Structure formats: C-alpha cells, structure tokens
C-alpha cells in the first residue's frame, strides 16, 4: 500500500509596514484586551521598461491580551512595525445581511520600529517617514539574523 503524502502544516507571516490609521482598542465581553489595525507594506520593483514602481499591500492585524496592551500608547497612524504571526480568516455580517470573509494576521510578536513613541507629540513626522524604509530594513535584517524582536 502506497503512503499518502501529507503536506506539513505551516502558517507563518512576517511583514513590515506602517499603520494606515490609528489602531482600535477594545475589550471582549469577558474583558480580554484586543487591538485591530491595518498596515501598508510597500514593495519596490522595476517594470519591464526598467522604471521603478511601487506596489502597496494592505493587511489587517489583530493582537490579543498582553500584546494588545503593549500596543496602547505606542502605536498611531503611520507608526512603523514588524509583525510576526499567522493568517486567520473570519466571517462578518455586513449591514445589509451579507456574509463577508476577512483574512488578517493574528499577531504573535510586534516590534515597534519608530525611534520615538507617538505620545511625544514632536513635529518630526516627515523625518520619521523618510527613515521608515531604512528602519524597516534594519528590523527585517535583525529578525532574519534571529535577534529577539522588541515587544
């Protein structure tokens, strides 16, 4: 009898990007903290005419418990983050009664890449945005070299 080939179970995502808007913090009815946010991850490439192009991927993220609490006061619109987690899907009911499936990342780790917290209220947003790509590259290199992400 021939053995049946079984695919390994692997569901792992690592992505770096910037929050598209302020995160939404809430608690479940049982008091469990949860935060939801969306990040934009940019990819630069050359097209067939050798011109630089940019593609943006928007990805939803959800974090629970202590990880959600650690995001409070540290994340805001445009914050740079490295997220490690797994893909999950869930069904939502829309206002008109239809069912919609959402795929998002359930975060296991979040590394905050901004040098200063959003609560500092400084006017260096433009400088932070311009250095965001190098921060993202540094964070990814640290991750790939197996250094512990900062949570």
């Amino acid at each position: 009898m021939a053995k049946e080939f079984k695919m390994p179970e692997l569901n792992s995502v690592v992505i770096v990007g910037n929050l598209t808007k302020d995160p939404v913090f809430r608690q479940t009815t049982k008091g469990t903290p949860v935060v939801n946010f969306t990040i934009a991850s940019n990819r630069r490439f050359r097209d067939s005419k050798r011109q630089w192009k940019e593609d943006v991927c928007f990805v939803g993220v959800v974090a629970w418990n202590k990880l959600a609490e650690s995001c409070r006061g540290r994340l805001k619109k445009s914050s740079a983050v490295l997220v490690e987690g797994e893909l999950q899907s869930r069904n939502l009911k829309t206002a008109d009664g239809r069912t919609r499936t959402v795929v998002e990342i359930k975060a296991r780790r979040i590394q905050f890449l901004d040098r200063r917290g959003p609560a500092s209220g400084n006017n260096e947003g433009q400088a932070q945005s311009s250095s965001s790509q190098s921060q993202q590259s540094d964070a990814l290199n640290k991750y790939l070299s197996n250094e512990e992400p900062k949570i």
Side-chain angles (χ1 to χ4, degrees), residues 13-21 36-42 56-61 75-76 78-84 105 110 136:
V13 175
V14 177
I15 192 164
V16 175
N18 297 86
L19 274 70
T20 60
K21 57 185 172 183
N36 294 86
F37 56 89
T38 300
I39 62 171
S41 182
N42 300 329
V56 181
C57 180
F58 297 96
V59 182
V61 178
L75 294 181
K76 67 172 187 172
S78 80
S79 294
V81 292
L82 180 146
V83 177
E84 177 187 349
I105 298 172
I110 298 174
Q136 291 174 1

Side-chain angles (χ1 to χ4, degrees), residues 47-66:
D47 66 9
S48 60
K49 296 176 183 171
R50 306 290 294 154
Q51 298 296 312
W52 281 107
K53 298 287 184 182
E54 190 169 294
D55 185 37
V56 181
C57 180
F58 297 96
V59 182
V61 178
V62 61
W64 296 86
N65 300 310
K66 288 183 180 183

Side-chain angles (χ1 to χ4, degrees), residues 88-146:
Q88 70 176 16
S89 63
R90 58 188 171 98
N91 294 321
L92 300 173
K93 289 277 188 192
T94 61
D96 62 1
R98 291 198 233 183
T99 301
R100 186 173 150 227
T101 302
V102 175
V103 176
E104 61 193 354
I105 298 172
K106 180 180 175 187
R108 279 191 295 266
R109 292 184 186 176
I110 298 174
Q111 182 171 346
F112 308 106
L113 303 180
D114 291 333
R115 297 186 195 280
R116 293 188 181 172
S120 64
N122 62 25
N123 291 331
E124 297 177 14
Q126 219 168 18
Q128 287 178 341
S129 295
S130 65
S131 67
S132 178
Q133 192 169 9
S134 71
Q135 289 174 2
Q136 291 174 1
S137 295
D138 292 346
L140 188 57
N141 289 335
K142 285 181 184 178
Y143 177 81
L144 294 174
S145 67
N146 291 326

